[in-house]
Amino acid sequence: MFISSFTEALFLYFIDKLNGERSIYAIYHLLKGKKSSQTIQDAHLFGVKKLFGTYSPITREQLEQCVSASIKHKCLIETNKENHFLLTEKGRQESRKYLSIHPLPIDLDGWGFQNNAAVFWGRLTLLLQSLSHIINDENYFYPIQRNAGIQNWVKRFFQLHPLNRSEMGQSYYDELVRLLEKKSSVERDVFVMRLTGSHRIGSTFKQISEAAKIDEVYVRFLFLGMLHYMIREITVNREDYPYLYAVVKDLPPNGDRPLTESARLTLTYIEAGKQLKEVAAIRRLKVNTIEDHIVEIVLAKPDFSITSFVSETTEDEIMETAKKLKTRQLKIIKNQLANEDVTFFQIRLVLARAGGDA
């Protein structure tokens, strides 16, 4: 097996998903969680929402190194477009083999929890660190979280919950144990090793990687998967985790999907009954830009109706053609449609509504 790192396996996984229809830099933007219309659309259309914004440290150089290594080992073939590649059968087998040993965390949901995971972790780790020091009569310590918003939240929390700190600490311990016991030993270890208390500083991803002899990037994904799992489990079963629920209850709901500010403004005009050309004129933007916003809105809001833009008959025709051709490339789909009046915008809308199922 030529794959030497989780990053390489992840790269080939993306290449397989994109199927030559996007450049390698689309992978860069997806892992970064770029809130652009194109990247948000790609997350849905290619079925990679769970990986959206899950590895912000990724660099372009890392992707280019993955390309070189994959071509060298005959796992990639170039297309006629610059920086567009297809996975060979060998590459597919190698990627699946590696990911069968180091699978993507089942609870990973970058699209749903990208914004909340860091806030949840910041609050929780500083809260537990504070409790640990208070219980041990250590009133002065260096806070593990320097973010002012996180620090202020923890201060307010203690003001609003004037309970016995030892009892509070025990309650958090009990709830965390119940949560962690449902996960694998390696996932539990990664999470616990990250925690900071009065007598220990939480380990870095590199330190955990060296101690556990696990790929450092994979450690990051295991940890992130744990955070996503915990937020979901705490929210769904809030009665079982009252103390932990207090940490997440004011976070935006999972249904509040990423949406660019410009698209949000367009949505307000559409909801007010304005037509696309009217919105474009009011906002002094091109109609194509407003169409981009509509596609983004469809992806973010499953209940947003597209019937005013495309008929059900046309929608069915587009879906059948896309499935038959096994592609999301607009031009290829359009050229195969019997109805020549169907626009690229309508095709994009239908694919957006279908998400990763087209």
Side-chain angles (χ1 to χ4, degrees):
M1 185 164 64
F2 100 86
I3 297 177
S4 60
S5 70
F6 182 74
T7 302
E8 291 178 355
L10 187 63
F11 169 76
L12 292 181
Y13 176 87
F14 267 107
I15 291 294
D16 195 21
K17 288 286 189 178
L18 297 180
N19 195 35
E21 298 182 24
R22 294 289 188 273
S23 78
I24 60 169
Y25 299 111
I27 301 172
Y28 174 80
H29 295 309
L30 284 161
L31 287 173
K32 286 278 189 182
K34 183 179 181 182
K35 291 183 180 178
S36 68
S37 292
Q38 184 64 64
T39 303
I40 291 173
Q41 291 171 39
D42 286 349
H44 286 77
L45 296 179
F46 296 101
V48 290
K49 290 190 297 181
K50 63 183 178 181
L51 291 166
F52 184 81
T54 52
Y55 187 35
S56 59
I58 189 72
T59 65
R60 291 172 180 268
E61 290 72 25
Q62 282 179 287
L63 289 178
E64 290 160 3
Q65 289 168 6
C66 287
V67 170
S68 299
S70 299
I71 290 178
K72 178 182 177 182
H73 291 90
K74 297 181 171 53
C75 290
L76 285 186
I77 54 174
E78 299 181 62
T79 69
N80 56 4
K81 292 183 179 180
E82 186 178 6
N83 295 316
H84 287 62
F85 299 90
L86 289 170
L87 202 61
T88 63
E89 187 54 38
K90 178 183 178 183
R92 186 171 290 106
Q93 291 176 1
E94 292 283 349
S95 176
R96 289 176 178 173
K97 189 185 302 181
Y98 188 97
L99 291 176
S100 68
I101 301 171
H102 306 89
L104 290 169
I106 191 170
D107 297 291
L108 196 68
D109 184 2
W111 179 255
F113 298 111
Q114 181 209 21
N115 297 322
N116 288 345
V119 178
F120 167 66
W121 171 247
R123 290 176 176 181
L124 181 65
T125 188
L126 182 56
L127 178 60
L128 296 182
Q129 180 194 22
S130 301
L131 279 171
S132 176
H133 280 84
I134 292 170
I135 292 169
N136 286 283
D137 296 320
E138 299 171 358
N139 295 323
Y140 298 98
F141 60 93
Y142 187 84
I144 194 67
Q145 297 291 336
R146 304 300 295 170
N147 179 281
I150 296 295
Q151 291 185 357
N152 290 333
W153 184 90
V154 172
K155 289 176 183 176
R156 287 196 304 272
F157 179 85
F158 281 125
Q159 292 170 355
L160 294 170
H161 299 82
L163 306 174
N164 179 284
R165 299 314 184 205
S166 294
E167 292 179 5
M168 181 183 287
Q170 186 63 49
S171 296
Y172 271 106
Y173 175 82
D174 293 341
E175 289 185 14
L176 283 170
V177 167
R178 293 204 302 275
L179 265 182
L180 295 175
E181 68 184 4
K182 298 179 182 180
K183 305 304 292 181
S184 68
S185 59
V186 65
E187 290 171 308
R188 292 198 299 267
D189 290 345
V190 166
F191 178 81
V192 172
M193 290 175 74
R194 291 282 290 155
L195 291 172
T196 291
S198 62
H199 301 299
R200 68 181 299 274
I201 300 296
S203 300
T204 64
F205 292 124
K206 184 176 182 180
Q207 289 169 335
I208 296 173
S209 170
E210 292 172 349
K213 294 181 171 53
I214 304 174
D215 181 281
E216 183 178 342
V217 177
Y218 191 50
V219 171
R220 286 178 175 272
F221 275 78
L222 287 174
F223 176 69
L224 195 57
M226 281 295 289
L227 295 185
H228 294 173
Y229 153 74
M230 294 175 81
I231 295 172
R232 181 187 295 108
E233 186 73 8
I234 292 166
T235 303
V236 172
N237 300 296
R238 61 192 67 178
E239 296 85 1
D240 297 329
Y241 307 100
Y243 283 86
L244 286 171
Y245 181 65
V247 181
V248 303
K249 66 180 182 180
D250 64 332
L251 295 178
N254 188 26
D256 188 12
R257 310 301 191 191
L259 197 64
T260 60
E261 286 305 312
S262 192
R264 287 184 190 278
L265 184 54
T266 291
L267 177 59
T268 62
Y269 285 115
I270 294 296
E271 289 178 334
K274 302 294 184 184
Q275 299 300 308
L276 295 188
K277 290 183 179 179
E278 289 181 281
V279 178
I282 293 170
R283 300 201 56 198
R284 297 182 181 180
L285 295 172
K286 294 180 180 179
V287 173
N288 286 348
T289 302
I290 302 303
E291 290 178 348
D292 285 342
H293 293 165
I294 299 301
V295 174
E296 185 183 337
I297 291 165
V298 169
L299 290 169
K301 298 183 174 295
D303 59 344
F304 184 85
S305 175
I306 64 173
T307 54
S308 61
F309 305 107
V310 55
S311 69
E312 290 186 11
T313 301
T314 300
E315 182 178 356
D316 292 341
E317 184 183 357
I318 293 171
M319 279 298 300
E320 290 174 9
T321 303
K323 288 180 178 179
K324 179 181 178 181
L325 298 175
K326 296 181 180 179
T327 184
R328 296 173 182 82
Q329 292 194 44
L330 306 182
K331 189 173 182 180
I332 293 176
I333 294 172
K334 182 171 172 55
N335 289 340
Q336 292 298 313
L337 292 173
N339 184 355
E340 297 180 356
D341 294 328
V342 176
T343 66
F344 285 118
F345 171 55
Q346 290 175 317
I347 298 173
R348 292 171 62 206
L349 275 182
V350 173
L351 294 180
R353 173 56 74 230
D357 299 326

